[in-house]
C-alpha cells in the first residue's frame, strides 16, 4: 500500500490554491484549475471531503493517533481553508461543536486520538445525541494489521471495539479500507445534514490507514453537502381527523419542543384560532415571546403553575417538534385528561409516541400552515371561553408566585454563615442583564438549569441554549468556545453551578487562548442542589450531595492570565455592578455568586410535576398506565 510522505508538497499546494480560488472541488475541476484524478492520502481525503461539504472548523486535542490528519490540517489552515481550535479537554471540544450546531446550524468536527481522548469526546457526544445536533467526531483508531495491542486501544482480543461502542451513540464508520472514505463521507453528510433530530457521526481512522494513498483518486467522487427538502404530509385524512379532534375539544393545549423553532408565528395563529394555551419545553424558550398572552411558560417535572395546569387539564394536546422525554411530560402523566393527541414531528416514532394520536409527519412549519388552512376552510375561529379565563388566571398566579420570591433577594445560609442571594433572584438578575445587552445565555445542568428555564423571559428564539437532553455538567462554560469558532461578536453568558463549573474549568484557559469575550457566572451553593432537593423531597434528608470546602472562584479564575475574576457580592446591586464590569472587559470574565442552599421555600421555585424516579416510581407508573397514553 502506497504511503504519503511529508505533507506540504507541490501537489497539495496546487489543490489548495484551486480550492481557495473556486470554493469547491467540482467548481475547481470545471474551471480547469484542478485535475479530476490525483493521488491523495486518506488524511487529506478526510479534510478535503469535509471541506467539500462546507465543514471547515475543527475543535481538536491532538494525540499520537491523529498526527497525520493533524499535519494535513496544518497545511489547509495555513492556506485559510480551515480553522482548528486546540483545546485542553475532549469533552469541552465536543460541547463546543454541539453548541455551535444547536445555536447556528453550522456543522463542525471534533478530532482526537485513540484511547482516553476518544473516550472523553465520546462521553461529550451524548450531548449532541440527546439534543439532535449533527456534528462530526473523528478519532484515530487502532491499526488494521493487528500486529499486537495498540497503545490505548481497548485491551481485548476482539476487532472493532471502538466502532461497536460509537455505533451505540450515533452513526459510525471505520476506514478499514482507504477507498471506503467516500461512503463514510456520504453517510456523514446525511447524518449531520438531515433536518429534524440528528446526532453525532463518528469517523474512525486507523493510524496506518491515514497516510495510505488513494492512487488516481476521482476527486468528483467526494460527496457535497446534504440538503434535505422540507417534506409536507400528503395524508389529507390525517388533517381531516385533526380538524375533527379540534372541533370536538374544549380545552386545547399546544406543547412545543425544540423542533418548533422557526414556527412561532404559525403557533400563535393556531392558538388564537383554537382558543388554546401554549406551553414550552425547557429547550424551546423564545419560540413564543414571553409577553404573548397565551404563552403559559414551561411545563413538565420542573414546570410552572400555569404550564402544568394547561397540560393536566387539556382534553386535546397538540404537540409540535418534541420528543416525550421523561421530564417533558412528567413521565407520561401530564396529559391526564387528553382524549386525543395531534402530533407534528419529522420522526414517525416521536409523532406516534402516544396512544390515541393523530400523527402528522414532516416539516413542522409547512404542516402547520396546511393545518391552519384546513381550519380556516371550516371557518374555525373560537371566541374566548372559560378555558381562556382559567389559563390567564393561572399565568397571573405563576407571575405572583415568582414575584414573592424575587421580593426576598437574600436569605441567611448556614454554609456561608451570612445572608446571600437566593438562586432565583441571582439568576433573574443575570437574565435581566442579558436581555439589556442582547446576550446569549448558556445554562448548565442541575438546579441552575431547572430554575433557569422557569425564570427565562425571552422575546425571541436563539437567546437561550440549554442541554436538557443529557443535562451534561460542564456544558455551559465549554459552549462559550463556540463563539470563538463562529467569530461571533454577540456577547454570551454561561450560567454554571459550582459543581458544573468544576467539571470543565479548563474552559478558562481555552477561552483566553481563542479570544472569547464572554462571562461565566458561577452560582455557588456548595452543593448539588437539584439532587439535594430531590433527596429531601423523597427521603426527608440529603446525602453526600454537599461539601464543606470553600472555594474562591474569582481568585481561581484570576490565576489564569487574561481572565478577570470578580466577586458578585450578596446583593442585586453588587451583582449588577459586577455584570456591567464584566461586559466592559475585553476578554473572559468569571463572576462568583454565593447563593442560598437551604430549606426556605422562598429560596427556590419549586416543582409542580411528577417524575418517574426513586420511591415515586410506583405511583407515577401506575398513573401512567391508568391514563393509558
Amino acid at each position: 500500500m502506497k504511503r504519503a510522505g511529508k505533507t506540504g508538497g507541490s501537489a497539495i499546494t496546487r489543490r489548495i490554491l484551486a480550492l481557495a480560488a473556486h470554493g469547491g472541488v467540482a467548481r475547481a475541476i470545471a474551471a480547469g484549475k484542478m485535475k479530476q484524478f490525483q493521488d491523495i492520502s486518506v488524511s487529506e481525503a478526510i479534510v478535503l471531503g469535509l471541506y467539500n461539504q462546507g465543514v471547515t472548523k475543527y475543535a481538536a486535542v491532538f494525540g499520537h493517533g491523529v498526527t497525520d490528519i493533524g499535519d494535513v490540517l496544518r497545511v489547509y489552515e495555513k492556506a485559510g481553508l480551515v480553522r482548528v481550535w486546540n483545546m485542553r479537554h475532549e469533552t469541552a471540544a465536543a460541547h463546543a461543536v454541539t453548541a455551535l450546531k444547536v445555536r447556528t446550524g453550522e456543522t463542525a468536527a471534533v478530532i482526537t486520538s485513540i484511547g482516553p481522548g476518544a473516550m472523553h469526546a465520546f462521553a461529550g457526544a451524548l450531548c449532541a445525541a440527546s439534543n439532535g445536533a449533527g456534528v462530526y467526531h473523528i478519532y484515530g483508531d487502532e491499526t488494521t494489521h493487528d500486529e499486537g495491542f495498540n497503545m490505548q486501544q481497548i485491551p481485548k482480543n476482539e476487532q472493532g471495539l471502538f466502532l461497536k461502542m460509537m455505533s451505540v451513540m450515533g452513526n459510525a464508520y471505520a476506514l478499514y479500507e482507504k477507498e471506503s472514505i467516500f461512503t463514510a463521507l456520504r453517510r456523514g453528510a446525511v447524518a449531520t445534514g438531515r433536518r429534524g433530530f440528528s446526532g453525532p457521526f463518528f469517523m474512525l481512522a486507523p493510524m496506518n490507514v491515514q497516510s495510505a494513498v488513494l492512487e488516481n483518486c476521482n476527486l468528483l467522487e467526494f460527496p457535497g453537502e446534504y440538503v434535505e427538502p422540507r417534506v409536507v404530509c400528503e395524508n389529507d385524512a390525517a388533517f381531516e381527523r385533526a380538524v375533527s379532534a379540534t372541533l370536538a375539544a374544549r380545552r386545547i393545549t399546544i406543547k412545543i419542543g425544540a423542533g418548533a423553532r422557526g414556527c412561532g408565528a404559525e403557533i400563535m395563529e393556531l392558538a388564537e384560532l383554537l382558543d388554546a394555551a401554549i406551553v414550552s419545553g425547557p429547550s424551546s424558550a423564545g419560540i413564543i415571546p414571553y409577553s404573548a398572552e397565551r404563552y403559559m411558560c414551561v411545563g413538565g417535572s420542573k414546570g410552572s403553575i400555569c404550564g402544568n395546569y394547561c397540560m393536566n387539564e387539556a382534553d386535546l394536546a397538540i404537540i409540535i417538534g418534541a420528543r416525550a422525554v421523561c421530564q417533558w411530560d412528567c413521565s407520561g402523566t401530564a396529559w391526564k385528561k387528553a382524549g386525543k393527541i395531534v402530533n407534528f414531528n419529522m420522526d414517525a416514532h416521536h409523532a406516534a409516541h402516544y396512544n390515541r394520536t393523530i400523527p402528522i409527519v414532516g416539516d413542522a412549519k409547512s404542516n402547520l400552515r396546511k393545518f391552519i388552512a384546513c381550519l380556516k376552510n371550516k371557518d374555525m375561529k373560537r371566541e374566548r371561553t372559560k378555558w381562556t379565563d382559567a389559563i390567564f388566571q393561572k399565568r397571573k398566579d405563576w407571575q405572583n408566585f415568582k414575584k414573592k420570591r424575587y421580593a426576598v433577594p437574600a436569605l441567611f445560609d448556614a454554609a456561608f454563615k451570612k445572608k446571600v442571594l437566593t438562586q432565583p433572584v441571582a439568576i433573574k438578575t443575570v437574565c435581566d442583564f442579558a436581555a439589556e445587552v442582547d446576550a446569549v445565555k448558556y445554562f448548565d445542568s442541575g438546579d441552575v438549569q431547572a430554575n433557569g428555564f422557569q425564570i427565562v423571559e425571552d422575546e425571541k428564539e436563539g437567546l437561550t441554549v440549554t442541554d436538557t437532553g443529557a443535562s451534561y455538567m460542564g456544558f455551559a462554560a465549554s459552549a462559550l468556545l463556540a463563539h470563538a469558532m463562529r467569530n461571533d461578536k454577540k456577547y454570551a453568558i454561561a450560567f454554571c453551578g459550582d459543581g458544573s463549573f468544576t467539571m470543565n474549568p479548563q474552559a478558562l484557559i481555552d477561552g483566553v487562548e481563542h479570544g472569547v469575550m464572554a462571562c461565566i457566572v458561577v452560582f455557588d451553593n456548595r452543593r448539588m442542589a437539584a439532587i439535594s432537593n430531590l433527596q429531601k423531597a423523597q427521603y426527608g434528608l440529603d446525602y453526600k450531595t454537599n461539601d464543606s470546602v470553600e472555594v474562591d472562584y474569582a481568585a481561581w479564575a484570576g490565576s489564569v492570565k487574561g481572565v478577570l475574576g470578580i466577586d458578585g457580592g450578596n446583593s442585586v446591586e453588587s451583582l449588577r455592578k459586577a455584570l456591567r464590569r464584566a461586559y466592559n472587559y475585553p476578554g473572559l470574565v468569571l463572576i462568583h455568586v454565593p447563593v442560598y442552599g437551604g430549606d426556605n421555600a422562598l429560596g427556590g421555585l419549586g416543582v409542580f410535576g411528577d417524575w418517574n424516579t426513586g420511591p415515586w416510581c410506583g405511583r407515577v407508573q401506575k398513573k401512567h398506565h391508568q391514563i393509558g397514553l
Side-chain angles (χ1 to χ4, degrees):
M1 185 183 289
K2 188 175 179 181
R3 297 285 165 186
K6 187 176 180 181
T7 309
S10 59
I12 190 171
T13 301
R14 287 193 296 272
R15 283 192 292 272
I16 288 172
L17 289 174
L19 287 170
H22 298 281
V25 173
R27 288 190 292 273
I29 291 173
K33 299 300 182 181
M34 180 184 283
K35 292 181 180 180
Q36 181 178 347
F37 296 92
Q38 301 189 45
D39 293 353
I40 69 169
S41 70
V42 172
S43 291
E44 188 183 353
I46 293 171
V47 177
L48 176 61
L50 290 180
Y51 177 84
N52 206 45
Q53 295 178 21
V55 180
T56 62
K57 295 176 180 177
Y58 295 79
V61 181
F62 289 114
H64 77 273
V66 286
T67 58
D68 200 66
I69 302 174
D71 200 51
V72 172
L73 286 169
R74 174 185 62 81
V75 177
Y76 269 67
E77 184 171 41
K78 185 177 180 180
L81 295 185
V82 303
R83 280 290 310 276
V84 180
W85 288 264
N86 56 304
M87 297 183 183
R88 287 180 173 251
H89 199 280
E90 295 84 1
T91 301
H95 290 334
V97 300
T98 299
L100 182 69
K101 186 61 178 273
V102 169
R103 183 168 170 266
T104 71
E106 183 175 2
T107 302
V110 174
I111 183 164
T112 189
S113 189
I114 184 175
M119 291 286 201
H120 287 316
F122 176 66
L126 178 63
C127 186
S130 298
N131 290 279
V135 297
Y136 275 99
H137 279 237
I138 302 169
Y139 305 155
D141 200 1
E142 61 191 275
T143 55
T144 59
H145 286 203
D146 200 14
E147 68 276 11
F149 285 125
N150 288 174
M151 185 172 64
Q152 297 183 341
Q153 78 169 75
I154 298 171
K156 186 178 180 184
N157 289 302
E158 190 172 335
Q159 189 181 27
L161 291 175
F162 268 91
L163 178 63
K164 290 182 180 180
M165 183 165 53
M166 306 307 154
S167 297
V168 173
M169 185 78 80
N171 289 285
Y173 199 98
L175 301 174
Y176 290 152
E177 279 289 336
K178 57 185 180 178
E179 286 81 5
S180 63
I181 182 63
F182 305 107
T183 297
L185 287 166
R186 191 174 301 111
R187 292 185 183 180
V190 175
T192 60
R194 65 184 293 268
R195 293 174 54 79
F197 200 84
S198 185
F201 182 83
F202 300 93
M203 188 186 296
L204 303 180
M207 291 180 285
N208 62 317
V209 174
Q210 292 172 32
S211 60
V213 173
L214 290 154
E215 299 177 37
N216 210 28
C217 173
N218 182 358
L219 300 187
L220 289 180
E221 193 174 354
F222 286 111
E225 180 184 9
Y226 174 74
V227 181
E228 189 168 277
R230 292 181 180 270
V231 179
V232 182
C233 179
E234 296 297 334
N235 185 356
D236 291 338
F239 284 96
E240 290 173 7
R241 291 170 57 209
V243 169
S244 296
T246 59
L247 290 170
R250 292 294 174 264
R251 302 181 307 279
I252 300 174
T253 293
I254 301 169
K255 182 76 185 287
I256 62 174
R261 289 171 185 153
C263 301
E266 288 78 12
I267 293 166
M268 288 193 289
E269 183 178 1
L270 181 62
E272 284 297 328
L273 284 173
L274 302 180
D275 186 34
I278 305 170
V279 180
S280 70
S283 60
S284 47
I287 293 174
I288 305 300
Y290 189 84
S291 59
E293 63 176 355
R294 291 189 176 274
Y295 180 58
M296 296 292 122
C297 311
V298 68
S301 296
K302 186 74 175 181
S304 64
I305 291 171
C306 45
N308 280 31
Y309 172 85
C310 293
M311 294 176 73
N312 295 164
E313 295 297 320
D315 60 4
L316 173 69
I318 299 176
I319 296 170
I320 303 168
R323 300 178 302 145
V325 178
C326 61
Q327 293 193 54
W328 186 87
D329 68 351
C330 300
S331 298
T333 66
W335 304 110
K336 292 178 169 57
K337 299 178 180 179
K340 281 188 170 56
I341 307 280
V342 178
N343 202 324
F344 292 83
N345 204 292
M346 292 190 70
D347 187 293
H349 290 284
H350 297 314
H353 172 76
Y354 296 106
N355 290 328
R356 305 192 294 278
T357 290
I358 303 165
I360 299 180
V361 180
D363 178 66
K365 194 178 190 73
S366 302
N367 284 324
L368 282 170
R369 286 173 174 169
K370 185 173 179 177
F371 184 42
I372 289 168
C374 291
L375 291 167
K376 287 182 175 178
N377 286 338
K378 296 286 186 180
D379 293 323
M380 183 70 175
K381 178 63 176 80
R382 287 184 171 166
E383 300 300 322
R384 294 190 172 183
T385 63
K386 291 181 178 179
W387 174 240
T388 317
D389 296 336
I391 64 175
F392 285 3
Q393 182 58 53
K394 288 296 179 180
R395 165 79 183 234
K396 289 179 182 177
D397 292 345
W398 175 238
Q399 295 298 99
N400 290 333
F401 177 87
K402 290 198 292 184
K403 284 178 182 178
K404 287 181 180 178
R405 277 133 187 88
Y406 299 153
V408 182
L411 292 168
F412 180 83
D413 184 87
F416 291 103
K417 297 181 176 58
K418 62 181 179 181
K419 272 193 170 185
V420 295
L421 287 172
T422 68
Q423 193 155 242
V425 168
I427 292 173
K428 178 69 161 57
T429 301
V430 182
C431 284
D432 288 347
F433 181 81
E436 290 174 22
V437 299
D438 197 34
V440 180
K441 303 180 292 297
Y442 293 96
F443 279 89
D444 238 317
S445 65
D447 209 45
V448 170
Q449 180 192 62
N451 280 285
F453 54 67
Q454 290 179 313
I455 291 168
V456 164
E457 299 182 1
D458 291 351
E459 288 296 305
K460 58 184 178 180
E461 64 182 74
L463 291 178
T464 297
V465 179
T466 178
D467 167 26
T468 57
S471 275
Y472 213 118
M473 296 177 74
F475 169 75
S478 303
L480 295 179
L481 299 170
H483 283 248
M485 297 181 73
R486 183 73 176 178
N487 194 22
D488 197 335
K489 303 303 181 185
K490 199 172 188 66
Y491 197 68
I493 301 175
F495 293 64
C496 303
D498 52 301
S500 290
F501 173 73
T502 54
M503 293 290 182
N504 279 123
Q506 78 287 334
L508 295 173
I509 302 168
D510 291 337
V512 173
E513 174 67 19
H514 301 303
V516 173
M517 290 185 62
C519 179
I520 299 170
V521 183
V522 176
F523 301 90
D524 177 16
N525 52 21
R526 304 263 292 274
R527 67 184 60 245
M528 296 170 60
I531 307 305
S532 289
N533 292 335
L534 185 63
Q535 289 174 330
K536 290 174 184 177
Q538 292 182 334
Y539 306 103
L541 295 169
D542 61 341
Y543 176 68
K544 300 292 185 180
T545 49
N546 61 351
D547 60 64
S548 59
V549 181
E550 187 171 350
V551 179
D552 187 339
Y553 289 94
W556 182 357
S559 71
V560 179
K561 188 174 181 179
V563 179
L564 176 63
I566 304 175
D567 181 357
N570 303 321
S571 70
V572 171
E573 293 74 21
S574 63
L575 179 53
R576 282 192 59 82
K577 184 178 179 181
L579 289 163
R580 178 56 62 181
R581 184 181 172 196
Y583 183 70
N584 291 326
Y585 181 75
L588 185 60
V589 179
L590 183 145
I591 301 175
H592 177 210
V593 186
V595 291
Y596 175 74
D599 296 328
N600 192 315
L602 295 177
L605 287 173
V607 178
F608 304 98
D610 281 323
W611 189 10
N612 190 2
T613 181
W616 297 339
C617 289
R619 173 180 56 78
V620 173
Q621 288 171 174
K622 182 178 180 181
K623 186 66 176 178
H624 169 65
H625 293 299
Q626 285 176 341
I627 293 169
L629 278 179

